[in-house]
Amino acid sequence: MATVSTARQIKDPKTRFNWRVSDFLRQTLVHFYQTRAKITGRGYYCGALVGDSEYGITVNSDLTVSCSCQDYDGSGHLGDLKKNSFEEVFHGPVAKKFQADLIRGKIPIPTCTRCGDLRRLTKENPAPMPTRLPHKGMLLENTVVCNVDCIGCARDSAANIRSMKTMPLAELSKMADLAASLGMEQIFYLNLGEPFLSPRVTEELPLLRQKNPKARIVISSNAVLLNTDAKREAALNVSQILFSVHGISDEMCEKYMRKSSFEKAHAAMRDMVKYRDAKGAKQPILEWKYLLFNWNDHPKHLTRAIEMAKEIGVDIISFWPTNNPYYGMSWRDKLGLLNNFGEKCWKGREVILRPENVPAGERH
């Protein structure tokens, strides 16, 4: 499938250069994985395409379906739910081709090389095929529009190929029905946009919960637009909110999240805690997600972030290492100099501040 380099579609020079590096690294990894498969005789398979992923299959705002959450250029499009059923898309020709390529040791799209669902074949499992439709989890993108511009996100590239930037409520209702019919255990109400930027989010979240009463529903937000009681009331329908706020000041946050505001995000987190607690509720679990960069990872910054998290009453603060942008990598984390902050987990490290609100099963 021919695609246009993600970097070429980005206007900002700094972001474009970062994605040129990223594109180069992906292509290098493609050659590495394909060479390894040729030498060892062991190909690959995709966990998302065999129905065994919690976080792979994504329904985009225009009802196209992608095989991953990083499908900025459309190369991972499996099909379109406006034209075919989900089952037809999931078992369709594109998905079959991707799996056939992987089994032969060929990487079908560069995105595979940075995806947690890329898995190696074994003698016991030489050619896995879907045993059932996905049920562990899916991403549902209500909008691809965002109020901030993160250096590590090529959202504009994705927005340029969406036929609908925000999913209409009627279509969202159908997707909620789809999740219910699949028996989805988890619905990640997020992808490349800001969920609370949708003008109908106060209707969307109660609808999603009504149709999926037992599902774990998770939202990721930059927090700034969770700024009214109507939105806070709607947010009570979700299981967990990850607030992406990467620093402890406007200056620190804006190095990565341009057009953001730490002060507004901090106030929104505080007000959501107050609103939830006033209702006597323990959900949603409220987590401050703090990406680690070399400009915000000094121990004094993390210590202050933990203090501020305690002051506003969030349940968890977590510190996530990242390699994007490549020049922002936290060398302190790489050297193990932050190991005294919280507990090690799949995210990186986390500090549980209000264990009474975080069931054991939700601790990572």
Side-chain angles (χ1 to χ4, degrees), residues 219-223 240-250 252-253 257 260-270 272-273 276 284-293 296 300-321 345 347-354 358:
I219 283 186
S220 179
S221 169
N222 58 58
Q240 184 167 7
I241 303 177
L242 298 170
F243 293 113
S244 294
V245 184
H246 315 312
I248 56 173
S249 68
D250 282 343
M252 201 176 290
C253 284
M257 303 176 71
S260 185
S261 166
F262 172 77
E263 296 301 328
K264 290 180 180 179
H266 182 262
M269 289 193 289
R270 178 200 64 208
M272 185 65 217
V273 171
R276 180 200 64 181
I285 297 169
L286 302 175
E287 178 172 348
W288 180 348
K289 176 183 177 181
Y290 188 118
L291 290 186
L292 292 169
F293 302 107
N296 71 2
K300 68 180 180 182
H301 297 146
L302 304 194
T303 299
R304 179 55 186 148
I306 293 170
E307 292 173 351
M308 297 176 81
K310 289 179 180 178
E311 290 168 2
I312 61 176
V314 294
D315 305 308
I316 304 171
I317 182 168
S318 51
F319 301 104
W320 303 52
C345 63
K347 308 167 189 175
R349 308 197 70 82
E350 73 176 4
V351 182
I352 297 178
L353 302 170
R354 299 180 66 180
V358 186

Side-chain angles (χ1 to χ4, degrees), residues 154-211:
R155 177 187 49 79
D156 286 347
S157 299
N160 287 338
I161 62 173
R162 295 280 195 274
S163 60
M164 294 187 297
K165 301 293 190 292
T166 298
M167 190 180 294
L169 188 62
E171 303 300 334
L172 188 282
S173 180
K174 293 177 184 177
M175 295 306 101
D177 287 333
L178 170 64
S181 68
L182 293 170
M184 278 297 167
E185 298 169 11
Q186 301 183 94
I187 302 170
F188 296 92
Y189 202 62
L190 54 96
N191 191 27
L192 300 180
E194 166 53 51
F196 288 103
L197 192 55
S198 169
R200 293 173 293 276
V201 71
T202 56
E203 300 172 77
E204 294 166 5
L205 295 179
L207 180 64
L208 189 62
R209 173 55 73 196
Q210 177 188 354
K211 296 192 174 190

